[in-house]
Amino acid sequence: MSAVQDQENIVIVGAGPVGLTLAIDLAARGVKCVVLEMRAENAPAHPKCNTVSARSMEIFRRFGIADEIRQQGLPADYPCDVVYATRYTRNELGRLPIPSWSERFSGRGHDAGWPTDEPPHRVSQLFLEPVLRAKAASVPHIELRYETELLSLEQDNNQVTLVTRDVASGSENTLRASYVIGCDGGRSVVRHEIGVPLEGDDNLGRIKSIFLKSDSLKEKEQLAPAWMTWVINAEQAGTMVALDGKELFLCHCRIPADVSFDGFDPVEGVCGVTGVDFDFEILAEEDWIARRLVAKKYGKGRVYLAGDAAHNWLPFAGFGMNAGIEDAITLSWRLAAINNGWASEELLASYEAERRPVGEQVSRAAMHLAQNQAPPEIPAALEDDTEEGAGLRAFVGAALVERDGPQFNPIGLNFGVPYEGSDVIISDDEEPPEFGIDLYTPSTVPGCRVPHLIFPDGSSLYDQLGPEFTLIRKNKSLDITIFTKAAQRQGMPLEVLDIPLGDQMPYDRELVLVRPDQRIAWRGDSVPADVGTLIEQVCGVFA
Ligand SMILES: Cc1cc2nc3c(=O)[nH]c(=O)nc-3n(C[C@H](O)[C@H](O)[C@H](O)COP(=O)(O)OP(=O)(O)OC[C@H]3O[C@@H](n4cnc5c(N)ncnc54)[C@H](O)[C@@H]3O)c2cc1C
């Protein structure tokens, strides 16, 4: 029996990190939404993701939760180093120094010196999700419906009809919405229901991720503490991640090609990676296949996809969730602008034009990193307690540190990927600068992330951007009245930020128009004669 409920405005399916980010950002823009989540309210997240990118931290700073997130997980003084070793407990091969969160702003470390208020942070999804959930629960505009599973949906030109199941009672309900956003992860029912296939490369490797608890493993460690330890030996390759710096660990075991998931013994895997017999409890396991898959479409009609529902790739450089978080904020200001009456529904079409190419590019970068990691020929004497063994370890360690330098300094993936080919970004004759995993050149070319600046008084440009559009003006004497009037006519909220930047690069234009998602929509040296058309265009209003 299915009861029909009232029509909701926006329904988000999935309260993972991406769905929660979308809900929080919508609420901050005054828009109500309902979030459907099939898990129970207090169900723990899987600790699989352990890197929150600088870009995600910038977004969380705008939500007012960045400091709280930095305090989760590892103790304040726990080094976030990346280590290479033959076993988790012994034979260090090499080390990339990454500071603890209390030293994150010291300017030291392999990934130091990025132009941001919020450098990357190492914290497990296990600890991140509760902060996002608590934030979402504290906002009146968000209605979180836990233990509610989406079964199916269909849409017409005016609405989407969803059939849901109450997990506790099994009863089915029907819900109507103006828009539905599928943030329901890799096995997305939403994506399935709108008939969108994934495209890319499948079966790039198989991993068993084991979440474990042990109060005795720390005593057996012969190496200085680290956040992540890559284990290289002839028997069991894997990665260990310290989650709380005490007793919680995540152990990713690479599964040999001739062994099935079920045929792989997790206890043997953990002992192989750690190199010791010790007491531990397995709290959860997750089998996953390394893939590079991107949805063919990021939406259809009134239904859109974000996060793992739209793309699924190997966690190299730590960008699955982080890309999803940026999907969410690219979508949320559009939905809010339409809801608040100052943008056209056509604005939504450019969501796919902006985010899908990023999904393609970042997923390919992650795949290349993974292919670089293909299990090397392990020299037989690597673990020997001999001069030859020591020489081999030094050689292999140096090669690994050099190979992975960019992966653990991914400034380009954080800040450098431009939006190109979007009809709501007004390009000029300059191409965005080239970017690479660890290559970033700040730029005001439309489509780029607005370059960060710290002013002489210590304040941050990012903290001074308005919640919606911001026009950065270098010279206060430049008359922008017709610009602000055009924005008013459209109803587009616009703040003017006067900053005496002089010749400070990369701000080489008098005016820079920044969108609510901190991307540059337009720049110029004067107000264009057809500024009304410009404003309409960035709001998705086309003649
Ligand atoms: C080993 C590993 C390491 C990783 N490391 C990183 C990293 O360092 N950095 C990074 O950025 N990413 C990393 N990732 C990827 C990251 O974990 C995912 O990208 C992230 O969880 C995606 O978030 P999401 O909100 O899109 O989806 P999910 O986290 O999968 O959340 C989806 C939510 O939807 C709910 N749901 C699903 N179906 C329904 C339904 N029918 N009805 C109602 N609710 C539903 C689920 O219960 C879940 O809560 C890693 C992944 C793996 C496997």
Side-chain angles (χ1 to χ4, degrees):
M1 183 68 190
S2 170
V4 181
Q5 296 172 4
D6 290 343
Q7 174 149 344
E8 303 293 344
N9 183 14
I10 295 172
V11 170
I12 297 169
V13 185
V18 175
L20 291 169
T21 299
L22 177 58
I24 295 167
D25 203 51
L26 281 171
R29 300 179 192 286
V31 178
K32 289 186 177 169
C33 63
V34 171
V35 184
L36 310 179
E37 169 55 56
M38 66 185 189
R39 288 184 291 163
E41 184 169 2
N42 52 6
H46 191 277
K48 55 191 175 181
C49 160
N50 278 276
T51 303
V52 183
S53 70
R55 187 66 196 115
S56 296
M57 289 301 290
E58 287 178 348
I59 292 160
F60 296 150
R61 181 185 179 94
R62 287 172 77 88
F63 293 170
I65 55 174
D67 288 346
E68 193 183 347
I69 289 170
R70 282 201 192 275
Q71 289 168 36
Q72 308 302 313
L74 295 169
D77 59 353
Y78 194 94
C80 291
D81 295 359
V82 175
V83 160
Y84 301 88
T86 66
R87 307 283 166 167
Y88 173 67
T89 52
R90 61 176 183 270
N91 281 339
E92 180 165 322
L93 302 167
R95 183 176 284 258
L96 288 164
I98 296 178
S100 62
W101 73 255
S102 63
E103 294 202 343
R104 187 73 263 202
F105 300 92
S106 66
R108 288 192 296 276
H110 177 66
D111 60 352
W114 292 14
T116 177
D117 301 312
E118 296 291 350
H121 181 50
R122 265 72 199 190
V123 65
S124 169
Q125 200 164 343
L126 182 70
F127 303 114
L128 170 69
E129 276 193 30
V131 179
L132 291 170
R133 281 187 193 196
K135 175 71 184 174
S138 73
V139 181
H141 279 344
I142 302 174
E143 187 187 334
L144 290 158
R145 293 189 193 164
Y146 286 102
E147 297 189 65
T148 305
E149 181 184 7
L150 173 75
L151 297 179
S152 63
L153 62 78
E154 57 187 35
Q155 60 176 318
D156 58 29
N157 287 341
N158 302 314
Q159 64 180 14
V160 188
T161 306
L162 304 95
V163 178
T164 65
R165 184 176 71 94
D166 181 278
V167 173
S169 68
S171 67
E172 290 187 12
N173 290 299
T174 300
L175 179 67
R176 301 219 161 88
S178 301
Y179 297 100
V180 171
I181 319 302
C183 302
D184 51 343
R187 297 189 182 95
S188 173
V189 171
V190 175
R191 189 185 62 233
H192 175 265
E193 291 295 285
I194 58 172
V196 170
L198 293 168
E199 296 178 330
D201 304 278
D202 212 339
N203 282 322
L204 299 168
R206 288 169 315 130
I207 311 285
K208 190 179 272 290
S209 295
I210 302 149
F211 176 25
L212 63 104
K213 181 175 176 180
S214 168
D215 57 11
S216 60
L217 183 56
K218 286 244 124 234
E219 293 159 16
K220 300 189 186 277
E221 293 175 11
Q222 295 170 20
L223 311 182
W227 158 68
M228 180 175 275
T229 306
W230 292 71
V231 170
I232 292 105
N233 60 57
E235 292 161 6
Q236 180 59 63
T239 311
M240 279 288 274
V241 187
L243 302 179
D244 66 349
K246 299 179 196 102
E247 57 178 15
L248 297 178
F249 303 86
L250 183 61
C251 180
H252 302 300
C253 297
R254 197 188 280 267
I255 301 195
D258 56 349
V259 177
S260 67
F261 276 125
D262 288 344
F264 186 85
D265 180 345
V267 174
E268 267 181 35
V270 170
C271 291
V273 168
T274 55
V276 282
D277 273 336
F278 67 108
D279 291 331
F280 62 93
E281 182 189 350
I282 294 182
L283 302 175
E285 283 178 44
E286 184 158 320
D287 295 334
W288 53 280
I289 297 174
R291 314 181 142 106
R292 189 200 70 81
L293 297 174
V294 180
K296 191 169 181 185
K297 307 273 312 156
Y298 272 29
K300 206 175 205 180
R302 301 187 155 270
V303 181
Y304 291 85
L305 304 171
D308 275 18
H311 45 70
N312 230 284
W313 58 68
L314 311 97
F316 288 90
F319 268 90
M321 175 193 76
N322 292 307
I325 284 171
E326 200 152 7
D327 293 343
I329 63 141
T330 310
L331 193 52
S332 65
W333 76 266
R334 289 170 154 84
L335 289 165
I338 294 162
N339 180 81
N340 294 336
W342 52 269
S344 130
E345 283 196 327
E346 285 188 56
L347 185 59
L348 286 167
S350 51
Y351 165 64
E352 176 177 311
E354 293 178 5
R355 290 305 299 168
R356 194 175 181 284
V358 176
E360 273 290 328
Q361 290 172 71
V362 178
S363 67
R364 283 183 195 283
M367 185 174 71
H368 289 139
L369 285 169
Q371 284 167 338
N372 249 343
Q373 310 262 336
E377 226 18 74
I378 309 283
L382 187 68
E383 295 197 85
D384 287 359
D385 195 9
T386 59
E387 212 173 296
E388 186 197 359
L392 279 170
R393 289 194 287 279
F395 175 78
V396 170
L400 292 170
V401 164
E402 190 181 333
R403 180 196 71 183
D404 281 1
Q407 183 188 174
F408 291 103
N409 185 29
I411 186 172
L413 291 186
N414 269 263
F415 302 143
V417 189
Y419 291 164
E420 295 178 277
S422 166
D423 59 7
V424 297
I425 289 173
I426 294 141
S427 310
D428 50 35
D429 49 9
E430 192 179 330
E431 293 287 314
E434 204 184 316
F435 72 93
I437 291 171
D438 60 347
L439 172 68
Y440 167 60
T441 308
S443 167
T444 59
V445 169
C448 292
R449 159 190 172 268
V450 62
H452 179 261
L453 287 178
I454 291 284
F455 299 116
D457 66 358
S459 63
S460 149
L461 171 76
Y462 264 65
D463 288 345
Q464 295 179 46
L465 294 171
E468 304 288 355
F469 275 85
T470 305
L471 184 64
I472 299 177
R473 175 171 60 169
K474 286 211 298 187
N475 183 348
K476 219 174 170 172
S477 64
L478 181 66
D479 186 1
I480 52 168
T481 315
I482 59 165
F483 203 114
T484 52
K485 286 232 164 93
Q488 273 166 18
R489 270 198 306 280
Q490 181 64 29
M492 180 185 105
L494 176 70
E495 286 188 16
V496 177
L497 181 57
D498 283 314
I499 39 178
L501 286 166
D503 291 332
Q504 181 150 3
M505 289 301 284
Y507 285 89
D508 54 356
R509 305 294 156 106
E510 293 299 323
L511 298 169
V512 175
L513 181 63
V514 183
R515 299 195 319 196
D517 58 0
Q518 297 96 49
R519 291 278 171 168
I520 294 170
W522 168 86
R523 65 179 179 169
D525 284 324
S526 59
V527 177
D530 58 348
V531 63
T533 312
L534 183 154
I535 296 288
E536 285 176 359
Q537 189 174 344
V538 299
C539 296
V541 179
F542 301 101

